[in-house]
Amino acid sequence: MEKDEYLDLYHQMVLIRLVEEAAAQLYQQGKIGGFLHLYIGQEAVSTGLISARKPQDRVITAYRDHGVAINCGLPANQVIAELLGKATGVSKGKGGSMHMADVSKNYWGGHAIVGAHMPIATGLALGDQYQKNDAVTICMFGDGASNIGYFHEALNLSKVWKLPMVWVCENNQYGMGTAVDRASAVSEIRQKAEGYCIPNECVDGMDVLKVRQAAEEAIAFVRSGNGPFFLEIETYRFRGHSMGDPERYRKPEEVRKWQENDPIGIYHRTLVDQGLASEAELDHLEEKAEAETAAAVQFAENSPEPEPEALFEHIYVEG
Ligand SMILES: Cc1ncc(C[n+]2csc(CCOP(=O)(O)OP(=O)(O)O)c2C)c(N)n1
Ligand SMILES: [Mg+2]
């Protein structure tokens, strides 16, 4: 990677962290309706993963989707405006936190129903295979989703049809308040891919460079016509499942232990220790991300609400 690319990964991770912290604040001020699932702690996963894709590769995820949107190149302005339900938002203020999508950036959302986007991902990949497009579909989902029927149907068909897709399980150790071991018969989720003969790998999700490397290899493998690949990425969410989670299901010591492994801190040290960036350069990127976040909040607050007529727009595709 060129130096610029190393720095860009750092900038993206810091920007996601700050946008999420701003979102938490806006939620507490009563400016965001519905649920809000933050990506804090998991930034290295989507940043490493999506940095390895080509523009024609599709990305689809569940509802913990703000960071993924930023990695796909959606401006922070539009992400925060969507959270506030403003007309300038990614989904024109009608999707909210869980339904951000921008097909022009090959970002296919943002889906609220656990596991339900997995057959959609399979369909995207089938379409690409049928049309002989040189595109790989990257489908992200949580550990909890691997207990859902859709997961098994989608994985099975992806292997039967040798579809060009990378399945990415973000194993953040919990599905809402349920620890993996309490809900899944196997605690290594990649074993479920094994059951469908899908090649797989487990990756340290707190290290953005390890995620990137694994993603590059997985995407190249799939692009060469070998059928699907499955990545299980070990990570942790530092905040509650959504806002207002009393977190009775895990001990503060456990959270602290993972927080000592903060993916941004780890990457910061790697960049400095390996002489890839100076402290001053990283300070500058942090300041840049802070200014972008503040400007995005202001942009969103000053943006208009959707007009009532917008209720009837963008529901169906014009025939
Ligand atoms: C089909 C369905 N069942 C239940 C829910 C409620 N629900 C929302 S998030 C969630 C947990 C999912 O956990 P996981 O897939 O690990 O994702 P994470 O929240 O950890 O990112 C559940 C059960 C839902 N949205 N959809
Ligand atoms: Mg989970």
Side-chain angles (χ1 to χ4, degrees), residues 35 37-39 42 62-64 98 111-117 141-148 150 169-178 180 237 240-242:
F35 292 108
H37 309 89
L38 302 179
Y39 203 56
Q42 299 183 214
Y63 44 82
R64 213 173 284 287
M98 298 195 272
H111 296 263
I113 304 302
V114 174
H117 64 297
F141 52 93
D143 44 276
S146 75
N147 303 318
I148 296 270
Y150 287 131
C169 178
E170 294 193 73
N171 184 352
N172 64 4
Q173 323 300 324
Y174 294 93
M176 291 183 88
T178 307
V180 170
R237 62 169 160 70
H241 167 73
S242 62

Coordinates of all heavy atoms in Angstrom, one line a residue, residues 35 37-39 42 62-64 98 111-117 141-148 150 169-178 180 237 240-242, ligand 1:
F35 N -34.5 3.2 16.7 CA -33.3 2.6 17.3 C -32.1 3.1 16.7 O -32.0 3.7 15.6 CB -33.3 1.0 17.0 CG -34.4 0.3 17.7 CD1 -35.5 -0.2 17.0 CD2 -34.4 0.1 19.1 CE1 -36.6 -0.8 17.7 CE2 -35.4 -0.6 19.7 CZ -36.5 -1.0 19.0
H37 N -28.0 1.8 16.5 CA -27.0 0.8 16.8 C -25.6 1.3 16.4 O -25.4 1.6 15.2 CB -27.3 -0.5 16.0 CG -28.7 -1.0 16.1 ND1 -29.7 -0.6 15.3 CD2 -29.2 -1.9 17.0 CE1 -30.8 -1.2 15.7 NE2 -30.5 -2.0 16.7
L38 N -24.7 1.5 17.3 CA -23.5 2.1 17.0 C -22.4 1.1 16.6 O -22.4 -0.1 17.1 CB -23.0 3.0 18.2 CG -24.0 4.1 18.6 CD1 -23.4 4.8 19.9 CD2 -24.2 5.0 17.5
Y39 N -21.4 1.5 15.8 CA -20.4 0.7 15.3 C -19.1 0.8 16.1 O -18.0 0.3 15.7 CB -20.2 1.0 13.8 CG -19.6 -0.1 13.0 CD1 -20.2 -1.4 12.9 CD2 -18.5 0.1 12.2 CE1 -19.6 -2.4 12.2 CE2 -17.9 -0.9 11.5 CZ -18.5 -2.2 11.4 OH -18.0 -3.2 10.7
Q42 N -15.9 -1.6 16.3 CA -15.9 -2.5 15.1 C -15.3 -1.8 13.9 O -15.4 -2.4 12.8 CB -17.3 -3.1 14.9 CG -17.8 -3.9 16.0 CD -19.2 -4.5 15.8 OE1 -20.0 -4.6 16.7 NE2 -19.5 -5.0 14.6
A62 N -26.2 -5.4 7.6 CA -27.4 -5.4 8.5 C -27.7 -3.9 8.9 O -27.4 -3.0 8.2 CB -27.3 -6.3 9.6
Y63 N -28.1 -3.8 10.2 CA -28.6 -2.4 10.6 C -27.5 -1.6 11.3 O -27.6 -0.5 11.6 CB -29.7 -2.6 11.6 CG -29.4 -3.7 12.6 CD1 -28.6 -3.5 13.7 CD2 -29.8 -5.0 12.3 CE1 -28.2 -4.5 14.5 CE2 -29.4 -6.1 13.1 CZ -28.6 -5.8 14.2 OH -28.2 -6.8 15.0
R64 N -26.3 -2.3 11.6 CA -25.2 -1.5 12.2 C -24.4 -0.9 11.1 O -23.3 -1.3 10.8 CB -24.4 -2.5 13.1 CG -23.7 -1.9 14.3 CD -23.1 -2.9 15.2 NE -24.0 -3.7 15.9 CZ -24.7 -3.3 17.0 NH1 -24.5 -2.1 17.5 NH2 -25.5 -4.1 17.6
M98 N -31.3 2.5 10.2 CA -31.1 1.1 9.8 C -31.2 0.9 8.3 O -31.0 -0.2 7.8 CB -32.1 0.2 10.5 CG -31.9 0.2 12.0 SD -32.8 -1.2 12.8 CE -34.4 -0.4 13.0
H111 N -30.1 -3.2 6.4 CA -31.3 -3.9 6.5 C -31.6 -4.3 8.0 O -30.7 -4.8 8.7 CB -31.1 -5.2 5.7 CG -31.0 -5.0 4.2 ND1 -32.0 -5.0 3.3 CD2 -29.9 -4.6 3.5 CE1 -31.6 -4.7 2.1 NE2 -30.3 -4.4 2.2
A112 N -32.9 -4.1 8.4 CA -33.2 -4.2 9.8 C -33.6 -5.6 10.3 O -33.4 -5.9 11.4 CB -34.4 -3.3 10.1
I113 N -34.0 -6.4 9.4 CA -34.5 -7.8 9.8 C -33.3 -8.7 9.8 O -32.6 -8.9 8.7 CB -35.6 -8.3 8.9 CG1 -36.8 -7.3 8.8 CG2 -36.1 -9.7 9.3 CD1 -37.4 -7.0 10.2
V114 N -33.0 -9.3 10.9 CA -31.8 -10.1 11.1 C -31.7 -11.2 10.0 O -32.6 -12.0 10.0 CB -31.6 -10.6 12.5 CG1 -30.5 -11.6 12.6 CG2 -31.5 -9.5 13.5
G115 N -30.7 -11.2 9.2 CA -30.5 -12.3 8.3 C -31.2 -12.1 6.9 O -30.9 -12.8 6.0
A116 N -32.2 -11.2 6.9 CA -33.0 -11.1 5.7 C -32.3 -10.6 4.5 O -32.8 -10.8 3.4 CB -34.3 -10.2 6.0
H117 N -31.2 -9.9 4.7 CA -30.5 -9.4 3.5 C -29.6 -10.4 2.9 O -29.0 -10.2 1.8 CB -29.6 -8.2 3.9 CG -28.5 -8.5 4.9 ND1 -28.8 -8.9 6.2 CD2 -27.2 -8.4 4.8 CE1 -27.6 -9.1 6.8 NE2 -26.6 -8.8 6.0
F141 N -22.8 -9.6 8.1 CA -23.9 -9.9 9.1 C -23.3 -10.2 10.4 O -22.1 -10.4 10.6 CB -24.7 -11.1 8.5 CG -23.8 -12.3 8.2 CD1 -23.6 -13.3 9.1 CD2 -23.2 -12.4 7.0 CE1 -22.8 -14.3 8.9 CE2 -22.4 -13.4 6.7 CZ -22.2 -14.4 7.6
G142 N -24.1 -10.3 11.4 CA -23.6 -10.6 12.8 C -23.6 -12.1 13.2 O -24.2 -12.9 12.4
D143 N -23.0 -12.4 14.3 CA -23.0 -13.8 14.8 C -24.4 -14.3 15.0 O -24.8 -15.4 14.7 CB -22.2 -13.8 16.1 CG -22.6 -12.7 17.0 OD1 -22.0 -11.6 16.9 OD2 -23.5 -12.9 17.9
G144 N -25.3 -13.4 15.5 CA -26.7 -13.7 15.7 C -27.4 -14.2 14.5 O -28.2 -15.1 14.5
A145 N -27.1 -13.5 13.4 CA -27.7 -13.9 12.1 C -27.4 -15.3 11.6 O -28.2 -15.9 10.9 CB -27.3 -12.9 11.0
S146 N -26.3 -15.8 12.1 CA -25.9 -17.2 11.7 C -26.8 -18.3 12.3 O -26.7 -19.4 11.9 CB -24.5 -17.5 12.0 OG -24.3 -17.7 13.4
N147 N -27.8 -17.9 13.2 CA -28.7 -18.8 13.7 C -30.1 -18.8 13.0 O -31.0 -19.5 13.4 CB -29.0 -18.5 15.2 CG -27.7 -18.6 16.0 OD1 -26.8 -19.5 15.7 ND2 -27.4 -17.6 16.9
I148 N -30.1 -17.9 12.0 CA -31.4 -17.7 11.3 C -31.5 -18.6 10.0 O -30.5 -18.8 9.4 CB -31.4 -16.2 10.9 CG1 -31.5 -15.3 12.1 CG2 -32.6 -15.9 9.9 CD1 -32.8 -14.9 12.7
Y150 N -32.5 -18.0 7.0 CA -32.0 -17.3 5.8 C -30.5 -17.6 5.6 O -30.0 -17.7 4.5 CB -32.1 -15.8 5.9 CG -33.5 -15.2 5.8 CD1 -34.0 -14.3 6.7 CD2 -34.3 -15.5 4.7 CE1 -35.2 -13.7 6.6 CE2 -35.6 -15.0 4.6 CZ -36.0 -14.1 5.6 OH -37.2 -13.5 5.4
C169 N -18.9 -12.7 8.5 CA -19.6 -12.7 9.8 C -18.8 -11.8 10.8 O -17.7 -12.1 11.1 CB -19.7 -14.1 10.4 SG -20.4 -14.1 12.0
E170 N -19.5 -10.7 11.3 CA -18.8 -9.9 12.3 C -19.2 -10.5 13.7 O -20.3 -10.3 14.2 CB -19.4 -8.5 12.3 CG -19.0 -7.8 11.0 CD -19.2 -6.3 11.1 OE1 -18.5 -5.6 11.8 OE2 -20.2 -5.8 10.5
N171 N -18.3 -11.3 14.2 CA -18.6 -11.9 15.5 C -18.2 -11.0 16.6 O -17.0 -11.0 17.0 CB -17.8 -13.3 15.6 CG -18.2 -14.0 16.9 OD1 -18.9 -13.5 17.7 ND2 -17.8 -15.3 17.0
N172 N -19.2 -10.2 17.1 CA -18.9 -9.3 18.1 C -19.3 -9.9 19.5 O -19.5 -9.1 20.5 CB -19.6 -7.9 17.9 CG -21.1 -8.0 17.8 OD1 -21.7 -9.0 18.1 ND2 -21.7 -6.9 17.6
Q173 N -19.5 -11.2 19.5 CA -19.7 -12.0 20.7 C -21.1 -12.0 21.3 O -21.4 -12.8 22.2 CB -18.7 -11.5 21.9 CG -17.3 -11.2 21.5 CD -16.5 -12.3 20.8 OE1 -16.7 -13.4 21.1 NE2 -15.7 -12.0 19.8
Y174 N -22.0 -11.1 20.8 CA -23.3 -11.0 21.3 C -24.3 -10.7 20.2 O -24.0 -10.0 19.2 CB -23.5 -9.9 22.3 CG -22.7 -10.1 23.6 CD1 -21.4 -9.6 23.7 CD2 -23.2 -10.9 24.6 CE1 -20.7 -9.9 24.9 CE2 -22.5 -11.1 25.8 CZ -21.2 -10.6 25.9 OH -20.5 -10.9 27.0
G175 N -25.5 -11.3 20.3 CA -26.7 -10.9 19.5 C -27.6 -10.3 20.5 O -28.1 -11.0 21.4
M176 N -27.8 -9.0 20.4 CA -28.5 -8.2 21.5 C -27.8 -8.6 22.8 O -26.7 -8.3 23.0 CB -30.0 -8.4 21.5 CG -30.7 -7.9 20.3 SD -32.5 -8.0 20.2 CE -33.0 -6.6 21.1
G177 N -28.6 -9.2 23.8 CA -28.0 -9.5 25.1 C -27.6 -11.0 25.2 O -27.4 -11.4 26.3
T178 N -27.5 -11.7 24.1 CA -27.3 -13.1 24.2 C -25.9 -13.4 23.7 O -25.5 -13.2 22.5 CB -28.3 -13.9 23.3 OG1 -29.6 -13.5 23.7 CG2 -28.2 -15.4 23.5
V180 N -22.8 -15.5 22.3 CA -22.7 -16.5 21.2 C -23.0 -17.9 21.7 O -23.8 -18.6 21.1 CB -21.4 -16.4 20.4 CG1 -21.2 -17.6 19.5 CG2 -21.2 -15.1 19.7
R237 N -18.4 -5.0 20.2 CA -18.9 -3.6 20.3 C -18.7 -3.0 21.6 O -19.0 -3.7 22.6 CB -20.4 -3.6 19.8 CG -21.3 -4.4 20.6 CD -22.8 -4.1 20.3 NE -23.6 -5.1 20.8 CZ -23.9 -5.4 22.1 NH1 -23.4 -4.6 23.0 NH2 -24.7 -6.4 22.4
G240 N -23.6 -0.4 24.1 CA -24.7 -1.4 24.2 C -25.2 -1.8 22.8 O -24.7 -1.2 21.8
H241 N -26.1 -2.8 22.8 CA -26.6 -3.2 21.5 C -27.2 -2.1 20.7 O -26.9 -1.9 19.5 CB -27.6 -4.3 21.7 CG -28.4 -4.6 20.5 ND1 -27.9 -5.3 19.4 CD2 -29.7 -4.3 20.1 CE1 -28.9 -5.4 18.5 NE2 -29.9 -4.8 18.9
S242 N -28.1 -1.3 21.4 CA -28.6 -0.1 20.8 C -28.6 0.9 21.9 O -28.2 0.5 23.1 CB -30.0 -0.3 20.1 OG -30.9 -0.7 21.1
Ligands
LIG1 C1 -35.7 -11.7 12.3 C2 -35.4 -10.8 13.4 N1 -35.5 -11.4 14.7 C3 -35.2 -10.6 15.8 C4 -34.8 -9.3 15.6 C5 -34.5 -8.4 16.8 N2 -33.0 -8.2 16.8 C6 -32.5 -7.1 16.4 S1 -30.8 -7.1 16.5 C7 -30.8 -8.7 17.0 C8 -29.5 -9.4 17.3 C9 -28.6 -9.7 16.2 O1 -27.3 -9.9 16.5 P1 -26.1 -10.0 15.5 O2 -26.6 -10.7 14.3 O3 -25.0 -10.7 16.2 O4 -25.8 -8.5 15.2 P2 -25.1 -7.4 16.1 O5 -26.3 -6.6 16.7 O6 -24.3 -8.0 17.1 O7 -24.4 -6.5 15.2 C10 -32.1 -9.2 17.2 C11 -32.4 -10.5 17.7 C12 -34.8 -8.8 14.2 N3 -34.4 -7.5 14.0 N4 -35.1 -9.6 13.2

